[in-house]
Amino acid sequence: MLVPVDGGQLAVETHDGDTAPVLAIHGVSGSRKLWNWVAAHNFSLITPDLRGRGDSTALPGATIKQHADDMLRVLDALDLAAVTVCGMSMGAHVAVELAVRHPDRVRALVLVDGGFPMPAHAQLTQETLSAAFAPQLAAQERTWTVDEYLAVQAMVNPLIDATDPLIHDYFAHDLTDDGHLRLPGDTLIADATDVVFGESRWQELTMPTWFVHAEWSTGPDSPPAYTVEQAQAFRAELPVLHEPVLINEVDHGGTVMTPAGAAVVAEVLAEALRPELTASASTTNSTSSGS
């Protein structure tokens, strides 16, 4: 379906399942197909292509606030008063922004390897950030077949299974019919800049929140985006945050793009959807706020 937003229309896919609807928000270089593996666990998912990605490529502008505004339009278009929101990487930052600005529309949050300040970002500058995305920018200069593009991605992401049909579907969605990458370079850099140098309002969250993080960042034995100690520090500071969940032997992308990672995210998401947990946490938070 297409949802009217500022500047055009946002492409949104829905997956029918046995749960209450969940708004699932992908990361900076992803698309709605990122949630293929979680959808396989029979969740009812609402998965937008964020502006500049997939079938929303034509939409101009890209900031965390703009993406959050778009998500609100999606909820309005589907006549959903409040939903559980699951965001991965940059999508987790968008989820936090949506939840802080519109707490009445978000009943619970599941943040996957994002949404909180990432310590490694403190070492980045505008110049080094652009350099980090040089391979993605260079890839836009040529045309690809899906198999060529998938082969390169499998070398860059050693933990993905190139024979997985869901992987093929995911990377095929990155390409136009004539083999060009859909995501414009300026959109990629603008969003990454907002994530790295913008301000996350995670300390203002008031709804039940879950945090899932990976053992590695990019491939086996690489330093994680978030250590166990850092995750526990967030929990100590944020009363509504449940016990963080570490996914062993997966990296950042593998949290949702591998069967093992998606199974853990699905388990946490199922917990977040339990109404009694949400109601209990909300009551506890209200009592704490009023004391």
Side-chain angles (χ1 to χ4, degrees):
M1 65 179 291
L2 296 175
V3 173
V5 295
D6 292 344
Q9 294 181 311
L10 196 78
V12 180
E13 185 175 5
T14 58
H15 301 262
D16 294 330
D18 293 335
T19 68
V22 175
L23 175 62
I25 310 172
H26 65 74
V28 67
S29 60
S31 72
R32 68 177 190 259
K33 299 296 184 178
L34 182 76
W35 301 104
N36 283 344
W37 293 263
V38 175
H41 289 265
N42 212 28
F43 288 98
S44 298
L45 298 184
I46 305 156
T47 59
D49 274 334
L50 297 183
R51 57 177 61 222
R53 283 87 172 167
D55 293 323
S56 302
T57 305
L59 280 169
T63 64
I64 299 301
K65 289 183 178 180
Q66 180 64 69
H67 291 311
D69 288 344
D70 292 344
M71 297 304 96
L72 186 64
R73 296 286 188 89
V74 171
L75 296 182
D76 289 344
L78 293 171
D79 198 25
L80 293 169
V83 298
T84 293
V85 178
C86 182
M88 185 268 180
S89 191
M90 183 193 77
H93 290 271
V94 176
V96 168
E97 182 72 17
L98 175 65
V100 168
R101 289 169 55 199
H102 304 282
D104 57 318
R105 308 300 295 273
V106 179
R107 62 178 297 277
L109 278 178
V110 175
L111 307 176
V112 182
D113 233 26
F116 295 98
M118 196 175 293
H121 288 171
Q123 311 303 320
L124 291 174
T125 65
Q126 295 278 0
E127 292 74 22
T128 56
L129 177 65
S130 296
F133 285 100
Q136 290 93 327
L137 298 177
Q140 296 180 339
E141 301 302 318
R142 57 161 290 181
T143 58
W144 302 85
T145 67
V146 176
D147 288 341
E148 288 171 342
Y149 186 56
L150 177 54
V152 170
Q153 292 299 327
M155 288 190 291
V156 175
N157 303 284
L159 295 179
I160 68 172
D161 178 6
T163 67
D164 183 350
L166 296 182
I167 285 285
H168 188 279
D169 184 51
Y170 174 81
F171 286 115
H173 195 60
D174 280 352
L175 301 176
T176 62
D177 291 340
D178 60 358
H180 287 92
L181 289 181
R182 292 186 175 195
L183 175 58
D186 56 352
T187 297
L188 175 64
I189 296 299
D191 270 342
T193 299
D194 207 15
V195 169
V196 172
F197 302 111
E199 180 181 0
S200 173
R201 300 175 63 185
W202 64 275
Q203 293 161 309
E204 301 175 47
L205 292 172
T206 57
M207 65 288 299
T209 301
W210 283 258
F211 180 49
V212 184
H213 59 118
E215 182 178 4
W216 306 317
S217 55
T218 53
D221 301 319
S222 57
Y226 302 95
T227 66
V228 170
E229 293 75 18
Q230 289 157 354
Q232 288 297 331
F234 296 136
R235 184 169 190 248
E237 194 168 345
L238 185 64
V240 295
L241 182 61
H242 287 248
E243 183 67 27
V245 176
L246 174 68
I247 310 181
N248 291 304
E249 298 186 349
V250 303
D251 61 6
H252 184 67
T255 54
V256 286
M257 293 175 65
T258 62
V264 176
V265 172
E267 184 178 346
V268 173
L269 189 54
E271 181 181 0
L273 285 164
R274 289 171 59 186
E276 66 273 20
L277 286 179
T278 304
S280 174
S282 297
T283 300
T284 300
N285 182 65
S286 297
T287 301
S288 299
S289 299
S291 59

